[in-house]
Each structure stands twice: as structure tokens, then as C-alpha cells.
Amino acid sequence: MVRVFQNPDTLLTSLADFTLLKGEEAIRRAGSFNIALSGGSSPKKLYELIASDAYRSSLDWTRVYFFFGDERFVPADHPDSNYRMAKESLFDPLGISSGHVFQIDTSSTPGDAAANYQHKLIAHFKTDKPIFDFILLGLGDDVHTASLFPHTDALKERTLLVTDNFIPKVNAFRITFTYPLINLGNTVAFLVYGESKANAVRTALEGPHDPDAHPAQGIKPKGELIWFLDEAAARNLAKRP
Ligand code: 6PG
């Protein structure tokens, strides 16, 4: 499903409403809400909105467990750290206890970071097929998502839940959820706004099917998949919802 909103503000408000609705449903159904956050710059405003007075009392945060769909292989206090961004914009303002935040430990090697995180997931979910209630994803202008970048090894992973991935484009390692893990998700939502993403959105949704070149095309969850777009990001779509 593709939902297009007039501007980033209405998009973010709708996605915040949707996220908290999914949280309420999960807590009612299972007593907890397991959510994987995306990184980069787009979601920061969403996290700040959810942590604002308008939303902060809308969910029992003691029932929510936060994970990361990917992480840059940098220290937790590095400006590029997805954990640092979420800590500053979401966890600290909401007073989330550290026991409810599953950080990717980047203090060892990329391989250890990925293996340790996979172990954390399996221990938390008590299964080697963890089903997230909600996975938030972004979209790069090269149609990457999480840290599944075009023509990189992680795209081929069919067994591991989490892997390290060397990204030649940025000459750095990332840690990322794999397709098998993301595609187990109950709800997977892309948050994409701004005209700089219009070509990537069109390629992801209407371009030739080639997940190796366009990794977001490999996101086919068992559950629901919703694209939250603003008009600017959707402007090149031939088929408008
Ligand atoms: C990351 C993200 C990545 C991001 C896209 C879009 O760690 O960078 O998880 O997949 O969602 O690169 O990033 P922007 O929102 O900054 O454009």
C-alpha cells in the first residue's frame, strides 16, 4: 500500500498516529511492542514528534522494546550513530530505560557486532525467527534500505538475521537486518519524503524488478507493507494511489 501526504508535517503526523496504533494493538495482543527503528535523517522528526507532548502519553512505554534495523559501524557517541540520533530524539525525551533499548554494539569487529546482535534478538524473542511488530525503513537515493545497498553481499544473505556489510560507496562497514528478518515483520513501513527521493521511489515501486540494483524491491514482508510518502517524493510515480 502507498499513502501520499501533502507535506512532511502531515506525513509525519499520520505515521506517528499509525505507529502508536500498532503499538497499542501489539500491547493488547501480546503485552509488548517490538519496534525496529531506521536511521539517517528522515526519521529524526518522527522520533521528536512521538516524544513530544502531543504523543508521549499515548503509549505505555514500559511495554515497548526498541531495536535498530541497521547501524553505522561507529562509536555510539559518533555524530553518524543511529543509536545516538534515536537516544537524543526519542529515548532520552521519553525516559526510556536502557533495558528497553537494544543497541548494536560496535565496540568490537563488524562480524562480532552482527553476531552479537543476532544473539540478542533470538534471546529476546525466544526464537530464531523473530517477528517484529513494526519495522521502520528509509530509502536512499540509490534505492537502498536499512544498510542493504546495491550490489553488496548482505543482499545475498538468506539465513542470518543480522549481518555486517561493507559498503564501497561510503567505504565503511554497516550492520544491518537482512531480508529474511525484515520480511518476517508484521508491519513494515517506509518513511520517505522530499523531492530528492522521487526517482528512488519511482524505481522502487515502478522500476524494473532487480533487487540487487534496487534493494528496497526485496522488501516483501509476510505482514503489511506501507509506503508513507509526501507529494514531493511521490511526484514521479505514474500510478498514484
Ligand atoms: C541509515 C538508514 C538508511 C536510511 C537511508 C535514508 O542508517 O542511513 O537506515 O537506510 O534510511 O539512507 O537516509 P535519509 O533519511 O538520511 O535520507
Side-chain angles (χ1 to χ4, degrees):
M1 179 199 295
V2 177
R3 299 180 64 188
V4 181
F5 299 85
Q6 192 58 42
N7 55 56
D9 287 346
T10 53
L11 162 61
L12 291 164
T13 299
S14 180
L15 181 50
D17 291 339
F18 181 75
T19 305
L20 295 186
L21 173 67
K22 291 297 167 184
E24 285 166 15
E25 288 175 356
I27 290 167
R28 207 169 26 248
R29 181 179 66 245
S32 63
F33 180 45
N34 291 304
I35 179 172
L37 302 176
S38 75
S41 55
S42 297
K44 188 169 189 292
K45 287 179 181 172
L46 175 69
Y47 302 158
E48 290 168 342
L49 180 61
I50 289 173
S52 71
D53 291 344
Y55 286 91
R56 61 183 300 114
S57 52
S58 305
L59 204 59
D60 178 357
W61 300 107
T62 67
R63 303 283 192 142
V64 183
Y65 296 89
F66 295 93
F67 298 79
F68 293 87
D70 75 317
E71 183 59 279
R72 290 80 181 278
F73 196 70
V74 295
D77 60 356
H78 190 282
D80 291 347
S81 165
N82 289 337
Y83 165 78
R84 173 175 161 175
M85 184 271 280
K87 181 178 188 296
E88 292 173 349
S89 57
L90 187 65
F91 305 149
D92 287 352
L94 283 178
I96 304 294
S97 73
S98 57
H100 282 243
V101 177
F102 289 75
Q103 191 181 344
I104 296 174
D105 177 0
T106 56
S107 62
S108 56
T109 65
D112 286 350
N116 293 341
Y117 204 55
Q118 172 156 317
H119 181 74
K120 276 185 182 178
L121 290 180
I122 292 172
H124 175 76
F125 284 90
K126 299 181 176 57
T127 173
D128 60 359
K129 295 197 176 351
I131 299 175
F132 276 88
D133 299 304
F134 198 101
I135 299 175
L136 180 67
L137 295 174
L139 184 74
D141 54 15
D142 59 359
V143 203
H144 83 260
T145 190
S147 283
L148 300 168
F149 282 75
H151 314 303
T152 58
D153 291 346
L155 300 178
K156 305 179 188 74
E157 184 54 54
R158 293 293 177 270
T159 307
L160 293 174
L161 304 172
V162 183
T163 191
D164 57 309
N165 197 25
F166 181 73
I167 319 295
K169 179 179 179 180
V170 295
N171 191 32
F173 275 95
R174 297 275 188 99
I175 311 302
T176 186
F177 279 15
T178 59
Y179 284 137
L181 177 54
I182 296 171
N183 288 333
L184 282 173
N186 266 338
T187 298
V188 177
F190 276 94
L191 166 60
V192 192
Y193 57 87
E195 62 181 319
S196 67
K197 300 293 176 74
N199 286 334
V201 167
R202 187 198 54 231
T203 303
L205 292 174
E206 298 176 346
H209 187 71
D210 180 1
D212 191 55
H214 315 136
Q217 292 180 339
I219 303 301
K220 299 181 177 355
K222 290 186 187 315
E224 58 182 338
L225 173 61
I226 304 105
W227 287 75
F228 283 81
L229 308 174
D230 71 342
E231 282 291 350
R235 69 189 184 137
N236 291 346
L237 289 177
K239 284 178 288 191
R240 290 297 304 267

